[in-house]
Amino acid sequence: MKSYYFLSDLHLRDMQDTKAQKLLRFFISQQSQSAQSVVFLVGDVFDLWLGGHSYFIKKFLPLIEAMKTFIQLGGEIHYFEGNHDLHLKKFWQDNLSVIVHSAPEYFNLDGEIVRVEHGDEMDPEDKGYIFLRWFLRTPVMRFVILHLPGFLIAAIGSMMSKTSRVYTNSLRNPQRIVRTIHTHAQNAFRQRAFQVIISGHVHLRDETPFVMNGQKMISYNLGSWDDHCRALVKRGTQWNWEDL
């Protein structure tokens, strides 16, 4: 039986970060059962990762090597770009065989249709962020991000990350966030039916079932690792939260 792990919004700063050490130990522990493990990194795994610069690779090399070994032993990793980790394919997919996604994707996991996304587009009222998201993914910005020196990208990205965190924190209202998650889940279901939708981004763990057009579905938001180093895990038909 396969195990499917979903985690997001770790915001790892460096390998001294306790969360980075926990993720490193997790991938090492999974190596003996890699062929039966699929890991979904649902965005903002790092507090900053842009392109494939050596600056970031050197900074997180032990974790990268553990993930590489996990894949070589038969494991599978899906990495969804977030708002702190952009333009990942050049390094993560081309060099490490991590499957990179820049938009929501659907998976058939043991008979259940599961929609997975970072969730940074779930609030259509956040016009400023939606524009910034589009701008950072334009061909011009992609070229800039991929070709500027790593140290300069790190400085610019760090400033953007701090600004984003201040802005996001200023908008935090648990009731509004929950409404946004649920409204988005229902709208997404109307576009294409599924049994489960999984998102991150808003740093609020949530698990809510719905009945849509007579069909049952459930919405999970993964929260962040600022509270608990926890993953949502599917084995067979069972879904559980597990501390890593």
Side-chain angles (χ1 to χ4, degrees), residues 119-135:
D120 56 335
E121 295 182 282
M122 69 170 64
D123 186 357
E125 296 179 10
D126 192 352
K127 307 291 187 185
Y129 174 73
I130 290 173
F131 172 80
L132 178 62
R133 186 184 191 279
W134 167 81
F135 176 71

Side-chain angles (χ1 to χ4, degrees), residues 112-151:
E112 287 186 283
I113 303 301
V114 181
R115 171 174 166 140
V116 185
E117 61 188 284
H118 179 57
D120 56 335
E121 295 182 282
M122 69 170 64
D123 186 357
E125 296 179 10
D126 192 352
K127 307 291 187 185
Y129 174 73
I130 290 173
F131 172 80
L132 178 62
R133 186 184 191 279
W134 167 81
F135 176 71
L136 291 174
R137 289 166 171 79
T138 59
V140 171
M141 286 305 298
R142 182 179 184 275
F143 179 85
V144 169
I145 287 171
L146 294 179
H147 291 86
L148 279 179
F151 75 90

